[in-house]
Amino acid sequence: MDDNKTTEIAEAREDASEIVEDETLKSAHMNYDLVDEEVAKYASETIVQVDEATSKRLKRMIDKRVLAIMIGTYLVQTLDKGTMSFASIMGIIPETHLVGTQYSWLTSIIYIVILLVEWPENLIIQRVPIAKWLGLNIILWGITLALHAAMKNFAGLVTLRAFLGLFEAVSQPTFVLLSGMWYKREEQAGAVIYWYMMNGVQQIIGSLLAFGFSFIPSTAVINSWQALFMTYGIITVFWGAFVLWWMPDSPMKAKCFTEEDKKLMIERVRENRTGVQNRKFRKDQIWDAACDPQVYAFALIQLFLTLPSGGLGAFANIIIKSFGFTTWQTQLLQMVSGAVQVTAMLSAVWVDQRTRQTILPMMASVVPTIAGTIVLMIVPFEPKKRVGLLFAYYIMISFWACSGLALSLVTRNVGGQTKKTVVIAVNFVFWATGNSIGPQVFQTKDAPRYFLALAIILGCFVLLLITLGALRTYYIWQNKKRDGKIERGEALADVLYTHALEDITDRENVNFRYIY
């Protein structure tokens, strides 16, 4: 089958000069120069309709091999990142002699490193076997995490945190790329939310595990925070080995699927018009990204979301404890934080799938966050008011619904593989920027109220609402503009999805419609 298909592609390329003479005829043939060779071997000239039962069967197979890995990996990663927050109330600060803002820098350094390596990381994942690269990095960050237990000072810890950022930088851009490669556009919000909501699941599982580690007696050979890092690191290494064995690199190279199923997996995502993969670097798509207003909106959305989440993630336990709760109570109350986060994100994807609206539920999820932030700014942190303060903190967490859906906008609304690489890189550069700045706005001198930090967080969420409203308006305008071109006969409708797998950008493709 592969040899025959290769011959057909070669003949089509030889005949291309004759085919493109007539624009009408040109539109009826796939341009194989713009289609990845691996994809072309499994793609038909026009779309092959996949019936609903088959599509569901294929999705279950993909969920088992791809989504399960993304969910498991992101859970492991968030557990690993959360160790420092839990360790902060388990004795790591005095036992490693941290002073001033050094604790804050242990979180910030991870995102500074991610900021520096994000662009080369995205170039790498476009060109290498993606599952193998992911598995290797998971093993390396597991080893790095376990070594935290041996550190006795800030210098050792900050060095390991930097390496942790280097190895963990692979995860989110890889998952965004995989979500767009394997899933239909209407499925992508759910796929992204399911792995991204592990941030909340980590709060539940991590809090429970940290609670258990807290019972390690002070007379033990190792301290509770050291046991925490060693246990998580060893588990991570074993998980990385499993990823290397279980996860396929792409639909075309998946040895676990039949040749017919591979073909159908390509066809079921053809309607996305965002491609599957393409290893050719196209310079013109960089310029396209630079001129695209949505790219700047994505960047601002990430900055306005991650600056608050980065700070709250590092200082959540400290803030809750300052309400008047004990260490054990704080660890258990963080489980509720995780449950609220998961509930908010699942509710958002349910609304997205039922209403076919994405940005409106994103905006709605930010409103309770603004209200909760205002309460924490104006109500004194007193033990008698701790229940009300805790409730205000919980409703702040609703913004995580916006975070998950924001990534699904990137997977669904960007066409062109080089452009997608650039956009994902920009997206996570600003994600890392926000996460690195976030802990720094929580200054020791402002404890326990952290009024300045909360004021900055409030400003971020107000600006986020404005940005989301502007992006939605832009998408509506672009879709109407393209509909008009086809209605007036200025462009041809690609009703058979002949060009859907070609490596062209969303702005070049008049048949592309933005999801908002």
Side-chain angles (χ1 to χ4, degrees):
M1 172 182 167
D2 289 349
D3 292 338
N4 293 337
K5 187 63 179 178
T6 302
T7 303
E8 292 174 14
I9 295 169
E11 291 174 351
R13 283 179 172 147
E14 291 174 3
D15 296 340
S17 57
E18 299 177 14
I19 292 174
V20 298
E21 293 288 338
D22 182 82
E23 288 298 317
T24 304
L25 188 60
K26 175 184 174 182
S27 68
H29 293 269
M30 184 188 298
N31 184 349
Y32 284 101
D33 288 332
L34 295 175
V35 181
D36 182 83
E37 290 186 2
E38 292 179 6
V39 175
K41 291 178 181 179
Y42 290 94
S44 300
E45 184 71 22
T46 57
I47 192 169
V48 173
Q49 294 296 334
V50 181
D51 64 83
E52 186 175 352
T54 301
S55 183
K56 288 181 178 179
R57 177 180 64 83
L58 295 173
K59 184 178 180 297
R60 286 193 297 270
M61 294 166 62
I62 294 168
D63 288 346
K64 181 180 177 181
R65 288 281 178 171
V66 181
L67 184 60
I69 291 296
M70 293 194 292
I71 290 173
T73 301
Y74 205 64
L75 175 59
V76 168
Q77 183 180 30
T78 52
L79 282 169
D80 292 350
K81 283 183 177 177
T83 51
M84 187 56 69
S85 179
F86 288 115
S88 69
I89 58 175
M90 296 170 71
I92 192 173
I93 293 176
E95 289 170 18
T96 56
H97 315 293
L98 300 180
V99 295
T101 60
Q102 287 182 338
Y103 171 73
S104 297
W105 278 106
L106 293 181
T107 297
S108 293
I109 190 63
I110 290 179
Y111 299 104
I112 292 172
V113 172
I114 291 175
L115 178 67
L116 295 174
V117 303
E118 196 60 50
W119 174 246
E121 184 69 57
N122 275 272
L123 289 178
I124 291 171
I125 63 177
Q126 189 183 13
R127 288 166 171 76
V128 301
I130 197 166
K132 306 300 183 295
W133 180 246
L134 176 64
L136 174 63
N137 278 273
I138 293 171
I139 292 172
L140 291 174
W141 95 52
I143 295 171
T144 303
L145 189 71
L147 289 173
H148 279 58
M151 297 300 104
K152 301 297 182 181
N153 53 44
F154 173 73
L157 283 172
V158 79
T159 301
L160 285 179
R161 301 298 281 178
F163 277 103
L164 199 62
L166 174 65
F167 300 133
E168 288 189 352
V170 68
S171 292
Q172 286 181 307
T174 295
F175 295 165
V176 170
L177 204 61
L178 289 172
S179 298
M181 176 191 293
W182 290 91
Y183 289 95
K184 298 165 69 173
R185 288 178 94 189
E186 59 266 29
E187 298 167 348
Q188 288 175 21
V192 171
I193 286 287
Y194 293 146
W195 60 260
Y196 201 67
M197 75 179 185
M198 292 303 106
N199 283 289
V201 175
Q202 177 270 144
Q203 295 287 350
I204 301 172
I205 298 176
S207 297
L208 192 60
L209 291 174
F211 180 72
F213 280 109
S214 296
F215 285 96
I216 294 177
S218 57
T219 55
V221 177
I222 58 174
N223 296 316
S224 56
W225 64 267
Q226 292 175 312
L228 190 71
F229 281 114
M230 290 177 63
T231 302
Y232 284 12
I234 293 169
I235 291 173
T236 300
V237 170
F238 280 106
W239 176 258
F242 175 73
V243 171
L244 287 173
W245 172 67
W246 184 254
M247 187 181 183
D249 292 306
S250 69
M252 297 76 67
K253 289 188 174 181
K255 296 179 181 179
C256 51
F257 303 139
T258 66
E259 292 297 299
E260 181 62 24
D261 281 344
K262 291 179 186 180
K263 176 180 174 61
L264 294 176
M265 285 176 182
I266 298 296
E267 293 298 332
R268 76 184 291 272
V269 299
R270 191 177 187 131
E271 293 182 21
N272 293 353
R273 297 189 189 276
T274 54
V276 177
Q277 75 170 28
N278 199 294
R279 302 192 189 282
K280 184 173 182 179
F281 187 81
R282 303 182 192 277
K283 293 182 180 179
D284 58 303
Q285 292 191 10
I286 298 178
W287 179 247
D288 188 292
C291 297
D292 192 349
Q294 70 167 334
V295 177
Y296 298 94
F298 291 155
L300 290 175
I301 289 169
Q302 285 302 317
L303 181 64
F304 296 147
L305 281 169
T306 56
L307 195 154
S309 67
L312 291 173
F315 285 83
N317 286 302
I318 295 173
I319 292 173
I320 293 177
K321 190 174 181 180
S322 69
F323 294 161
F325 297 103
T326 66
T327 297
W328 288 359
Q329 288 173 333
T330 299
Q331 289 168 337
L332 293 176
L333 287 171
Q334 274 291 69
M335 295 174 66
V336 182
S337 301
V340 173
Q341 190 172 324
V342 170
T343 301
M345 298 179 81
L346 289 176
S347 298
V349 75
W350 182 84
V351 173
D352 176 277
Q353 293 174 346
R354 287 298 182 95
T355 65
R356 295 288 185 258
Q357 293 286 336
T358 300
I359 295 181
L360 287 181
M362 289 172 69
M363 297 174 72
S365 72
V366 175
V367 175
T369 300
I370 292 175
T373 306
I374 292 173
V375 170
L376 292 185
M377 291 177 66
I378 64 178
V379 176
F381 286 15
E382 299 174 356
K384 65 181 180 180
K385 297 179 179 179
R386 62 182 184 176
V387 175
L389 290 168
L390 185 63
F391 179 76
Y393 173 76
Y394 284 154
I395 65 172
M396 281 183 67
I397 298 172
S398 65
F399 78 89
W400 278 95
C402 184
S403 300
L405 290 179
L407 291 178
S408 77
L409 288 178
V410 177
T411 66
R412 292 183 285 179
N413 286 337
V414 179
Q417 290 301 305
T418 301
K419 180 180 179 180
K420 189 176 291 185
T421 298
V422 173
V423 174
I424 292 174
V426 169
N427 189 75
F428 286 109
V429 161
F430 278 82
W431 174 85
T433 300
N435 274 300
S436 60
I437 295 173
Q440 301 304 317
V441 303
F442 285 82
Q443 297 292 312
T444 304
K445 63 183 177 64
D446 297 327
R449 291 294 303 276
Y450 297 109
F451 185 87
L452 177 61
L454 291 173
I456 293 172
I457 288 172
L458 179 62
C460 285
F461 286 123
V462 171
L463 292 172
L464 175 62
L465 285 177
I466 296 171
T467 305
L468 289 171
L471 181 60
R472 187 174 189 274
T473 302
Y474 171 75
Y475 282 153
I476 293 172
W477 171 62
Q478 279 292 314
N479 286 352
K480 288 182 178 179
K481 182 180 177 181
R482 296 169 190 217
D483 288 339
K485 283 186 176 182
I486 291 177
E487 289 172 1
R488 292 190 299 271
E490 297 174 12
L492 294 174
D494 183 20
V495 295
L496 296 179
Y497 296 90
T498 304
H499 304 285
L501 295 174
E502 295 175 4
D503 190 21
I504 55 178
T505 70
D506 52 281
R507 298 209 316 153
E508 294 173 322
N509 187 354
V510 72
N511 289 281
F512 190 93
R513 295 296 179 271
Y514 295 103
I515 291 177
Y516 56 84

